[in-house]
Amino acid sequence: MARKMIHFSRAFLPCAAASTLIIIFGVVGFFVRGVNFGIDYKPGLIEEVRVAPAVMDITYSGSANVTFDMTGTKADIVISGTGAENETKEFKFADNATVDALAASLNSVDGIKVTVNSYGESATSELFANSAASNKLGPTAYRLYSAGKIDAQTADVRDALASVSGVSIKQLGSGNGTSFQIRMADDGSGNTGKQLQETVVTKLAEKFGADNIAVVKTDFIGSNFSRTIALQSMILLGATIALIWLYSAIRFHWDFALGAVIALLHDSLMMMTFIVWTQMEFSTMTVAAILTIVGYSINDTIVILDRERSLLPVMDTKKFNDILDQALTDTLSRSIITTVTTMFAAASLYVFTTGDIKNFALALLVGLTSGCYSSIFISSGFISATRRNWKPEYGIHHSLKMHKGVLDTSVSV
């Protein structure tokens, strides 16, 4: 029994008008409220820190220039300068397995004094330095830290920085290799990168102790670089849509391809409207959500377009909208089922996660809804507009050819 045809085409114009109003609403919001850019798109500080005890202090008293370098397998004392014999003294961790053993060896160098503060029995392979401190030795102690001695969790670091606005924290590694990436946006108060760094270190020191904080790496993102990242994200989205249009143009007729691309632009703008008015943080996860919806939506649209193309040469009708309505009716259950099942997964992420993943899931839910809607009403509505003067004799496109008496429907229509 043939499925009763639903007249979707009656809603093409009202849906186009509604979508246009919503998008205009989003454009107004963009200028009125702006975009709540996340730290990925703001100038500021990116710092990697480790929470560990300072187990060794190294000082030097003398006239030479002495620096301390360390890798995962050895430590080097480099001596240079006027009146000094230029040389490098190497201390392999294989020969100095513990902190106490390494300290004893380093103390054998003239002018070097090493004090072991704690954990003298711990392995030298667990030692690391504070990258924020100069490795040139002098009266001020140069400190080495031992990993894995303090059990610091992401929640602890987040609690320590709770009073600092615009901070994002992510744990890197696990076990003895645990470190924390701290991203702090410039709030426009005029603080320099050095001041931002000092703010982070001070807050962490209050929580864990001044002797237990080591900076592994520090980067400062300037305003020009943050604008470059935003521009690259826009280029990425534009390139993705352009490639999809190219595929669709090869696979289908130009109006089918353009209809698919308009649906994708519609979904992207709908998501941006939601992001602008809810002031959801716009981060790299948001870009990932938009690209995910672009890929999902085009898949849904292609299924519908393929059905429309297959009906074109075989359906007996005088109205092109009848072909569109029948194709949409045939694929309706598939569109709804695939969208709803995917939304179950996105809804689970939204309910059971926090932070960026929660925002990612929320953006997916909005995009999935828009994608299903645009595949049915926006893409097909555009095709209906371009073929409003269609006549039955145009039903078989000139590119459809007969091969041995059999109609070839694999070519563009």
Side-chain angles (χ1 to χ4, degrees):
M1 181 177 178
R3 183 179 300 177
K4 183 178 179 180
M5 183 170 66
I6 302 172
H7 295 283
F8 290 96
S9 58
R10 294 174 181 173
F12 286 166
L13 187 58
C15 286
S19 291
T20 301
L21 289 176
I22 293 174
I23 292 172
I24 292 174
F25 186 58
V27 173
V28 172
F30 176 80
F31 289 104
V32 173
R33 305 195 66 181
V35 179
N36 179 25
F37 284 108
I39 196 167
D40 298 321
Y41 298 99
K42 288 182 179 179
L45 169 74
I46 301 179
E47 187 166 67
E48 183 180 346
V49 300
R50 299 180 74 171
V51 181
V55 298
M56 181 186 297
D57 289 349
I58 307 173
T59 59
Y60 171 73
S61 57
S63 59
N65 293 322
V66 179
T67 58
F68 181 89
D69 296 320
M70 187 171 64
T71 65
T73 59
K74 65 175 183 175
D76 292 329
I77 296 290
V78 181
I79 303 172
S80 61
T82 305
E85 183 178 348
N86 295 339
E87 59 179 327
T88 299
K89 295 183 180 292
E90 182 179 270
F91 303 89
K92 294 182 179 179
F93 292 162
D95 301 327
N96 302 273
T98 66
V99 171
D100 284 335
L102 179 62
S105 298
L106 292 174
N107 275 323
S108 66
V109 180
D110 290 340
I112 295 289
K113 181 181 179 180
V114 179
T115 303
V116 177
N117 300 319
S118 58
Y119 298 101
E121 73 286 353
S122 61
T124 48
S125 59
E126 297 174 351
L127 293 176
F128 64 94
N130 185 349
S131 66
S134 171
N135 68 338
K136 183 178 180 180
L137 301 183
T140 302
Y142 180 76
R143 291 184 158 176
L144 298 184
Y145 300 78
S146 183
K149 303 301 184 294
I150 298 178
D151 183 21
Q153 303 296 324
T154 306
D156 299 324
V157 178
R158 186 172 288 115
D159 180 64
L161 299 173
S163 62
V164 182
S165 62
V167 172
S168 172
I169 301 165
K170 181 170 67 174
Q171 180 175 324
L172 305 177
S174 59
N176 289 351
T178 299
S179 63
F180 301 94
Q181 184 187 75
I182 300 171
R183 303 171 71 96
M184 182 177 178
D186 184 355
D187 59 5
S189 61
N191 290 331
T192 63
K194 186 67 174 177
Q195 290 172 322
L196 294 176
Q197 182 182 7
E198 289 174 353
T199 299
V200 170
V201 173
T202 299
K203 293 297 182 181
L204 293 176
E206 291 174 358
K207 175 75 173 180
F208 300 103
D211 296 336
N212 298 323
I213 302 299
V215 177
V216 178
K217 183 173 61 176
T218 301
D219 291 313
F220 298 101
I221 299 179
S223 57
N224 289 337
F225 184 71
S226 61
R227 283 194 292 268
T228 300
I229 296 176
L231 179 60
Q232 289 175 343
S233 298
M234 294 173 60
I235 292 174
L236 176 62
L237 178 60
T240 301
I241 293 178
L243 289 174
I244 289 175
W245 176 84
L246 180 62
Y247 163 78
S248 301
I250 295 173
R251 188 77 173 83
F252 302 99
H253 198 247
W254 71 268
D255 53 348
F256 279 42
L258 192 53
V261 168
I262 288 174
L264 296 183
L265 292 173
H266 168 275
D267 296 338
S268 300
L269 292 173
M270 283 291 187
M271 292 180 72
M272 285 304 302
T273 297
F274 178 81
I275 291 168
V276 165
W277 282 105
T278 60
Q279 286 295 286
M280 177 192 295
E281 184 177 86
F282 189 90
S283 64
T284 51
M285 291 294 285
T286 311
V287 175
I290 293 176
L291 291 177
T292 300
I293 292 305
V294 165
Y296 182 90
S297 181
I298 191 60
N299 178 65
D300 204 20
T301 304
I302 289 296
V303 171
I304 295 173
L305 295 183
D306 192 63
R307 183 58 181 162
E308 292 171 356
R309 185 185 65 171
S310 66
L311 289 174
L312 185 57
V314 298
M315 190 170 174
D316 184 15
T317 180
K318 295 182 179 180
K319 297 180 179 179
F320 192 80
N321 279 351
D322 289 343
I323 297 175
L324 297 177
D325 288 337
Q326 188 61 55
L328 293 170
T329 301
D330 293 345
T331 57
L332 179 63
S333 60
R334 183 263 179 201
S335 298
I336 293 177
I337 290 172
T338 53
T339 299
V340 171
T341 52
T342 307
M343 290 180 75
F344 283 150
S348 297
L349 285 176
Y350 179 75
V351 172
F352 297 109
T353 61
T354 59
D356 287 342
I357 299 297
K358 190 179 186 74
N359 289 339
F360 174 78
L362 181 58
L364 279 185
L365 289 171
V366 174
L368 287 168
T369 304
S370 176
C372 183
Y373 161 80
S374 66
S375 295
I376 295 174
F377 294 105
I378 302 303
S379 176
S380 297
F382 174 80
I383 296 171
S384 173
T386 59
R387 301 205 175 192
R388 59 186 179 277
N389 296 322
W390 179 86
K391 297 179 181 179
E393 55 266 30
Y394 302 157
I396 300 179
H397 192 266
H398 65 81
S399 60
L400 294 176
K401 299 179 181 180
M402 300 291 290
H403 293 283
K404 297 181 178 179
V406 178
L407 182 64
D408 180 8
T409 61
S410 65
V411 293
S412 301
V413 297

